[in-house]
Amino acid sequence: MTYYVTTPIYYVNDAPHLGHAYTTVAADVLARWHRRRGEDVWFLTGTDEHGQKILRTAEANGVPPQEWADRLVEESWKPLWAHLAISHDDFIRTTERRHTDRVQEFVQDLYDKGEIYKGGYEGPYCVYCEEYKLPGELIEAEDGTGVPLCAIHRRPVEILKEENYFFKLSEYGDRLLAHYNAHPDFIQPAPARNEVVNFVRQGLQDLSISRSTFDWGVKVPWDESHVIYVWVDALLNYATAVGYNENPEKFEATFPADVHLVGKDILRFHAVIWPAMLMANGLPLPGRIAANGWLLVGGEKMSKSNLTGISPETLTAHFGVDAYRWYFLRAIAFGQDGSFSWEDFTARYTSELANGYGNLASRVTAMTVRYFEGVLPAPGEETEAERSLKSALLKATSEADHRIGDQLDFQGGILAVFDFVRQVNGYLTDQEPWKVAKSDSPEARTRLATILYTAADSLRAIAILLEPVMPETSHRLWDSLGASTSLGPLSDQRVRDASAWGALPPGSPVTKGAVLFPRLDDRTDSQPTGTDS
């Protein structure tokens, strides 16, 4: 079977910001990690291009909605994912025929089964959420006008009255609660699970699954005066992208997703509506729905609408792509809200990447070139110092694999690897190879070879473990250790290979390449200001 991981599909009302990239990088690290486990992986991302929000944005820019979507996808979304080394296997767009035709078939099936009926509805609607709101999900404007606002977007809601088609969501509350109870890890983290459970326990309302006041969407197949509700359309991408009603062999091998990674503001759609739709059509449910927290700037959720959206390129231009990929997963526990600041990024980059990991790689390769003419020496007899480091590597590999691959604890997995980096740095400090090198005795020469071999083989392991997080840097380190010559491509290595102590063959050609993490200058002119960039 295939390990299937997805991101949300993102609205193309504007260019992507750090929040979008955060979820996507996390999914990429998870997909890469499972590939390093030797598993078949299918990693899906894409864009959500229908709905009233997209229509209004296109109209405001004076272009048809399809033209607007095409422009944003080709000029903003796809280039950013390439820039950030996102290794997705598919990029689905909801305006593609492979999607729209299958959406109509899915909804037609529900209609034929009696799961959909026609009715009327009136209520407050947030165009930015593309969702009708309950009274408890609204706040009042602070200007004293009493205008109801969406609590998430802080924008006025619209009171809509329409005759729509409804999905009998209210009939699935007990089945959903039973599934949550039988599968306690279905929704993560625990606070998010509790929120969804409490929401369902309060009783579900039937879901309006069509709109008739605009026509930018997938037509309802039995009534083309309606378009399918954008969230029903969007959620089905997880099925249509892997062959629903089109490629049975691929669909059977891939669906359902093992993990849906989503932002917590869209958790209910994925943890309530999506599984209910699947239940209604007799399809299996996903393994896990994991909600990441919000990235905060100045205490507010990062989004374009409240002007805290920051372009990822602003940060990658200063810190580099790999450091960018590393920082957010290392600094913020996945599933929790976390604040971003330029100062925190700078401090962590300097202490952990430049002074820690990068300095270790520079010292080991430089000393190997200096003392052994760039040929990795064969080690001598191990001492307790080497045995201790070997034990530390086994622990780091096991912990990182469990935390990232099983628990989606990216921060914990990264910290486990960097704790090993710290121990290797400590090993060098204690063994003082630069002092050992001053002696011409055969014993000292053998001891120097053992120290540098041990440190180089430790770097080999670190390169494997950090490849899912920092792929470009890991490949450069792999090459500088001569591992590509002696062990083959880094992409062929497995997580379990990292702990194979002594795997780097003596005689490997070691070179001192460019510094992995150049020290940052003192410039401040490229810092983000907290507004759109």
Side-chain angles (χ1 to χ4, degrees):
M1 293 293 290
T2 300
Y3 185 83
Y4 181 24
V5 58
T6 75
T7 72
I9 53 172
Y10 303 105
Y11 281 126
V12 291
N13 59 309
D14 213 326
H17 56 61
L18 296 186
H20 304 119
Y22 176 53
T23 310
T24 308
V25 169
D28 184 67
V29 171
L30 185 62
R32 287 175 180 269
W33 194 273
H34 280 265
R35 293 188 190 113
R36 296 290 79 76
R37 281 181 166 182
E39 299 173 22
D40 290 330
V41 172
W42 195 259
F43 171 22
L44 174 69
T45 189
T47 45
D48 186 357
E49 302 177 14
H50 289 133
Q52 194 169 17
K53 178 163 58 175
I54 305 303
L55 178 62
R56 289 186 179 180
T57 301
E59 289 174 342
N61 285 273
V63 296
Q66 186 67 67
E67 181 180 334
W68 175 259
D70 291 345
R71 179 190 305 173
L72 264 290
V73 168
E74 297 302 328
E75 296 181 4
S76 296
W77 290 89
K78 285 184 176 180
L80 179 61
W81 294 165
H83 176 64
L84 294 179
I86 304 302
S87 62
H88 52 280
D89 297 287
D90 193 6
F91 187 105
I92 189 160
R93 300 178 57 184
T94 57
T95 52
E96 295 176 304
R97 286 290 299 274
R98 63 167 173 153
H99 175 75
T100 59
D101 288 354
R102 304 291 86 76
V103 168
Q104 289 184 312
E105 292 166 3
F106 186 98
V107 173
Q108 183 70 57
D109 285 345
L110 290 184
Y111 184 72
D112 294 342
K113 291 175 180 177
E115 297 284 348
I116 292 174
Y117 65 92
K118 196 170 188 179
Y121 190 83
E122 181 176 5
Y125 191 86
C126 174
V127 173
Y128 297 91
C129 289
E130 294 283 11
E131 179 186 25
Y132 281 104
K133 293 294 180 179
L134 299 174
E137 298 171 325
L138 302 175
I139 59 174
E140 288 190 5
E142 297 178 356
D143 57 8
T145 61
V147 173
L149 308 178
C150 167
I152 294 175
H153 289 94
R154 299 177 184 271
R155 296 289 189 93
V157 294
E158 302 176 12
I159 304 301
L160 297 184
K161 182 177 182 180
E162 292 183 288
E163 185 178 60
N164 296 332
Y165 290 94
F166 287 80
F167 167 56
K168 296 177 181 178
L169 181 64
S170 61
E171 298 183 1
Y172 287 88
D174 289 343
R175 289 183 61 183
L176 288 169
L177 290 172
H179 186 79
Y180 303 155
N181 185 60
H183 303 87
D185 292 334
F186 180 67
I187 304 169
Q188 294 183 336
R193 179 185 185 276
N194 295 337
E195 178 185 323
V196 170
V197 169
N198 290 335
F199 175 77
V200 176
R201 280 177 178 164
Q202 293 171 13
L204 297 175
Q205 297 181 352
D206 289 345
L207 175 71
S208 173
I209 61 98
S210 74
R211 299 291 306 278
S212 58
T213 55
F214 62 90
D215 63 358
W216 179 239
V218 181
K219 299 290 187 182
V220 172
W222 64 88
D223 185 349
E224 293 198 351
S225 66
H226 289 248
V227 294
I228 296 169
Y229 175 43
V230 66
W231 267 107
V232 173
D233 169 4
L235 289 165
L236 282 167
N237 92 91
Y238 305 128
T240 62
V242 293
Y244 170 74
N245 268 14
E246 186 174 27
N247 187 337
E249 183 177 349
K250 181 174 180 60
F251 189 72
E252 177 69 23
T254 310
F255 193 84
D258 291 86
V259 180
H260 291 308
L261 295 186
V262 302
K264 69 177 183 179
D265 51 338
I266 58 172
L267 176 61
R268 285 186 195 172
F269 297 101
H270 288 80
V272 179
I273 297 174
W274 177 227
M277 288 166 52
L278 294 173
M279 288 175 177
N281 235 347
L283 293 173
L285 273 56
R288 188 168 13 173
I289 300 167
N292 61 259
W294 287 338
L295 296 185
L296 306 175
V297 174
E300 291 196 22
K301 174 179 178 270
M302 190 170 296
S303 67
K304 291 290 181 181
S305 58
N306 61 19
L307 299 180
T308 56
I310 298 172
S311 163
E313 292 93 338
T314 302
L315 298 182
T316 60
H318 188 74
F319 295 99
V321 170
D322 272 10
Y324 175 94
R325 290 171 56 96
W326 164 86
Y327 169 75
F328 289 98
L329 296 181
R330 183 263 175 267
I332 301 169
F334 194 80
Q336 299 180 17
D337 293 348
S339 294
F340 160 78
S341 75
W342 186 273
E343 293 76 14
D344 184 63
F345 198 160
T346 299
R348 293 184 190 277
Y349 177 100
T350 300
S351 63
E352 297 181 42
L353 295 185
N355 294 344
Y357 180 27
N359 187 48
L360 172 64
S362 293
R363 288 201 293 170
V364 172
T365 54
M367 285 189 288
T368 304
V369 169
R370 178 179 179 183
Y371 300 133
F372 292 94
E373 297 181 340
V375 177
L376 186 67
E381 184 177 350
E382 285 186 353
T383 69
E384 182 57 33
E386 287 76 47
R387 288 190 288 271
S388 177
L389 210 55
K390 177 181 180 179
S391 177
L393 175 58
L394 287 170
K395 179 182 177 182
T397 302
S398 176
E399 185 170 353
D401 188 30
H402 178 58
R403 287 185 177 273
I404 295 176
D406 299 329
Q407 296 185 323
L408 277 63
D409 178 7
F410 302 102
Q411 183 187 63
I414 291 170
L415 289 176
V417 179
F418 272 78
D419 185 57
F420 181 66
V421 171
R422 180 188 59 78
Q423 291 179 72
V424 180
N425 266 318
Y427 168 82
L428 283 183
T429 299
D430 292 343
Q431 300 305 312
E432 299 180 313
W434 47 89
K435 289 187 178 179
V436 176
K438 293 179 180 180
S439 173
D440 293 331
S441 71
E443 295 79 10
R445 186 71 175 171
T446 299
R447 184 60 194 156
L448 179 61
T450 301
I451 295 169
L452 292 182
Y453 177 86
T454 298
D457 193 55
S458 297
L459 283 171
R460 170 203 60 82
I462 293 167
I464 294 172
L465 294 175
L466 290 180
E467 187 275 340
V469 182
M470 297 188 282
E472 192 269 340
T473 301
S474 294
H475 279 85
R476 286 201 286 128
L477 175 59
W478 189 256
D479 289 342
S480 72
L481 293 171
S484 53
T485 300
S486 55
L487 293 174
L490 178 56
S491 58
D492 289 346
Q493 304 301 306
R494 300 291 175 256
V495 170
R496 62 180 178 271
D497 297 331
S499 60
W501 190 254
L504 188 61
S508 297
V510 177
T511 57
K512 189 180 185 306
V515 175
L516 295 183
F517 301 100
R519 298 188 185 279
L520 302 173
D521 57 35
D522 295 325
R523 293 175 301 166
T524 59
D525 57 358
S526 61
Q527 294 186 25
T529 61
T531 59
D532 286 340
S533 52

